[in-house]
Every structure is written in C-alpha cells, then in structure tokens.
Amino acid sequence: MASSGTFIDDGAFKTPKNARVKSCVSSGGTPVTIPASPFMKKLGCGTGVNVYLMNRMGKLNGSPWAVKKINTKCATKQLAVYQKRLNEEAEVLKGIDHPNIVGFRAFTTAKDGSKCLAMEYGGEQSLNDLIEKRKEDGLKAFPAANIEKVALHVARGLQYLHSEKKLLHGDMKSCNVVIMGDFETVKICDVGVSLQLDENMRVSDPKAEYIGTEPWKPKEALEEEGQITDKADIFAYGLTLWEMMTLAMPHLEMLDDDDDEEEVDDDSMEEEGFDEDAYYQKLGTRPVLDFEALGSSYQRTVELFYLCTNEDPKMRPSAAQVVQALESNAQLDKTSSEVIVID
C-alpha cells in the first residue's frame, strides 16, 4: 500500500512514522497507540479476525505485541458475533497470568469501529506453522525431546486454566500454540471460546456451547447430551501431540495420500475423493499411530497420547496428572544424564 510517510526499518517490517493510529490504555494504565492494519505485519487469521505484529517503538521501545483485530469485511450479523467474542476473550485474558499462556496487554476500538485486542507476542510461528514447514521440508516427526517439551509447557498452561481459573480452553490444537525460537518458549493462545468450569470440572452453564474445531473434538462434544468437562481439553491436547508425531491433521490424513502423485492445481481439486461418511465416523476417536515407525524414543509420548485420547473422558488424566508425570520424566532424564566421577 502506497504511503507518503517516512519509513523506519526495524529489521522485520517497516512502519510509517506518521501512520494514523488509535490511542488506548494498556493493562498497566499507560497510554499506547495501535497502528492501522496496513502498517502492521500480518501474522495470521482466524474466523472473523486477523492477527498482526505490532512493533512498539518510542521512549520505552518495549517488546512487540500481537494484535487481534476484527475483520470488518464480515457480514453485519457475523460482525456482531465476532466483536462479542473478542470482547469476552479480552475479559478472560485480563485475569490470566501464566508463563505458558499469552498475556493481556490492551483492548480498544479502532477508527473503523473494529475491536483490537493487544496481547503478549508469544512467537511469530504457531506450532501448526512449524508442522507444515517440517512436512514441506520432507521431514518426519519432531524429535521426541521437542514433543515432550511442548507437552509439558502446554499441560502446565492447561493445569493453570483448569485448576486455578476454572476455565476450559475449548479449542486446543496446534494452531493455538505459539512457539518462540527453537522451542525457547511455548505458549497457549486464543482463549476466545473458553468456558467456565464448576468445582467438579464440568462446564457450569448448561446453555454454553462448546465451539472447538471439528477434527479435535472429543466424542462427548459431538453428542447432543454429552457432558463437557476439563477432559475435553485433554482429548484435544492428545491430538496436538499426535500432530507433532505425524505432521498431519486428525482424521484428515487421507488428504495426504496423493503427496507422491503428480502435482495438481488447487483449482482442479474436487471433493469426490473425500469419504465424508468415514470422516464423520472417525470424529471423537483416537487416530491411527504407527508406533514402530517412530521408534522407542517416542514411547512415553505415545503412551501419553493413548491415555489422553481415551473415548471415555473419565479414563483421561487431568492436566495436573499430566504435568506431574512429565515433570517426573524430566527429572529422571536429568538424573540419568549426570556423570558421576569416582576418584
């Protein structure tokens, strides 16, 4: 987009000095400004929203923020829904403070009337981005150590949400995990469809709708009278680990069958080869995993995947139990790697 502004090169993207901005107040009460969308780097998009990288330059030259902004091209009826959802996400995020969950920074309304939620920048790449890149590079499963690190950090975030905040994330998947650097930090994002839990870890409002994303939904979320508990997140968490081991999307692995075939133009692709009935029959079940192809170093991750994806939610571990097991494993690894020298 053309602009008469003077550009400052910050090494990642360029921002015009005189870009029109909207003032708001951060969580700490400090006035901040949110640049117009064309002057921020787009990180990704979701249903009804776009996410941008906002570099904060000025006196404090603070750390960058991720800004989630309503897509104003949405239909009027949908726009109201997305604005309500983003407002609810901002309210939820304000009360969250955990190193494995992206933090709240500011909430305001842009000049075009769209809502803007500024959050901690947890990393330019989602776990899903890394999965796709690894697949494009012709690689196989992530190293077991990387998967176990993601498993532990995400489980810690879920334990905090479930036990301390009494919240169900409601949409666990690789897209909602952001990674900084070489797995230096791992954070859960997108709490926009979270649901309140009661003391028994059940969704407290009987009218509340579990949104989720279809391939990651547990069986109870697909049943009309299914009881949603914290274990719904655990099922989706297990499938997130499966994604890292298979580099595929749950129950849609059949779409990768033609990878070795002659390249076909996307516009010519048809749905005729997709078995919709088989797909819907698989939803809520544990997808196939070739353990032998992975090797023995993945044994603990495979066992965790099997436990978390049990169709009976009562048979799945809680996030706290997962954390305890993974921390014990990490401690055992540390102890066994120590070299004892005897004089």
Side-chain angles (χ1 to χ4, degrees):
M1 178 175 177
S3 171
S4 59
T6 301
F7 286 86
I8 299 176
D9 188 354
D10 62 15
F13 63 100
K14 298 178 178 179
T15 304
K17 291 179 67 175
N18 60 351
R20 298 177 66 187
V21 296
K22 173 68 178 179
S23 296
C24 66
V25 178
S26 70
S27 56
T30 306
V32 296
T33 54
I34 304 291
S37 300
F39 305 110
M40 294 188 289
K41 179 180 179 180
K42 189 174 180 179
L43 295 175
C45 59
T47 307
V49 297
N50 293 322
V51 181
Y52 302 91
L53 175 63
M54 173 185 163
N55 250 18
R56 296 193 299 141
M57 295 181 293
K59 293 181 179 180
L60 297 179
N61 195 23
S63 58
W65 288 353
V67 177
K68 183 179 288 189
K69 198 170 183 239
I70 294 292
N71 185 344
T72 53
K73 294 181 180 179
C74 297
T76 304
K77 185 176 180 181
Q78 292 175 315
L79 185 60
V81 172
Y82 300 142
Q83 286 182 334
K84 180 176 182 292
R85 185 177 295 175
L86 193 61
N87 185 72
E88 292 171 349
E89 180 176 3
E91 288 302 312
V92 169
L93 208 55
K94 284 179 185 178
I96 291 176
D97 182 14
H98 191 274
N100 295 121
I101 304 175
V102 295
F104 173 84
R105 293 296 180 263
F107 188 55
T108 188
T109 303
K111 289 182 179 295
D112 60 7
S114 63
K115 300 289 185 180
C116 290
L117 171 59
M119 303 166 288
E120 172 189 12
Y121 175 60
E124 189 165 341
Q125 296 188 93
S126 71
L127 178 57
N128 180 257
D129 292 332
L130 295 177
I131 289 171
E132 290 300 316
K133 185 178 186 303
R134 194 171 181 83
K135 185 161 57 174
E136 289 171 4
D137 291 343
L139 300 173
K140 300 297 183 182
F142 285 86
N146 284 352
I147 300 178
E148 290 191 18
K149 183 172 185 178
V150 170
L152 176 57
H153 287 212
V154 172
R156 284 172 175 165
L158 289 178
Q159 179 185 13
Y160 171 82
L161 287 176
H162 296 170
S163 302
E164 295 192 36
K165 307 307 293 185
K166 291 294 184 290
L167 284 172
L168 179 79
H169 181 277
D171 197 16
M172 272 308 309
K173 56 185 177 181
S174 60
C175 292
N176 287 336
V177 177
V178 287
I179 309 294
M180 182 73 78
D182 186 20
F183 294 93
E184 294 160 17
T185 65
V186 180
K187 295 177 184 284
I188 299 171
C189 65
D190 201 350
V191 295
V193 294
S194 62
L195 298 173
Q196 197 69 45
L197 297 169
D198 60 21
E199 292 301 318
N200 296 314
M201 292 296 180
R202 298 176 179 176
V203 172
S204 56
D205 183 358
K207 296 181 180 180
E209 180 184 3
Y210 178 90
I211 303 296
T213 302
E214 201 168 65
W216 289 265
K217 282 186 177 182
K219 185 72 72 176
E220 63 269 24
L222 298 164
E223 299 170 346
E224 196 168 325
E225 300 298 326
Q227 176 65 61
I228 305 299
T229 68
D230 60 316
K231 302 300 181 63
D233 274 350
I234 298 301
F235 184 87
Y237 164 83
L239 292 188
T240 303
L241 302 183
W242 181 88
E243 289 183 80
M244 293 189 74
M245 290 186 281
T246 64
L247 309 186
M249 186 180 294
H251 312 303
L252 288 173
E253 59 270 21
M254 69 281 288
L255 296 182
D256 294 328
D257 289 346
D258 298 327
D259 281 352
D260 297 328
E261 300 293 332
E262 183 178 348
E263 188 173 341
V264 180
D265 184 8
D266 289 342
D267 294 336
S268 68
M269 293 181 66
E270 299 179 356
E271 296 182 6
E272 293 178 2
F274 180 69
D275 190 338
E276 189 172 8
D277 290 337
Y279 165 69
Y280 280 108
Q281 285 177 1
K282 287 182 177 181
L283 290 181
T285 68
R286 180 188 295 130
V288 175
L289 180 66
D290 188 349
F291 171 70
E292 291 185 1
L294 286 169
S296 59
S297 63
Y298 292 83
Q299 182 175 344
R300 295 188 307 205
T301 302
V302 171
E303 290 175 354
L304 179 59
F305 157 70
Y306 270 82
L307 285 171
C308 292
T309 53
N310 197 304
E311 286 188 40
D312 182 354
K314 294 179 181 178
M315 299 299 292
R316 300 171 206 152
S318 66
Q321 290 172 324
V322 173
V323 170
Q324 183 178 21
L326 290 172
E327 287 181 343
S328 295
N329 289 341
Q331 185 58 42
L332 284 172
D333 290 343
K334 181 179 179 181
T335 302
S336 63
S337 66
E338 292 177 350
V339 178
I340 302 175
V341 179
I342 301 176
D343 293 329

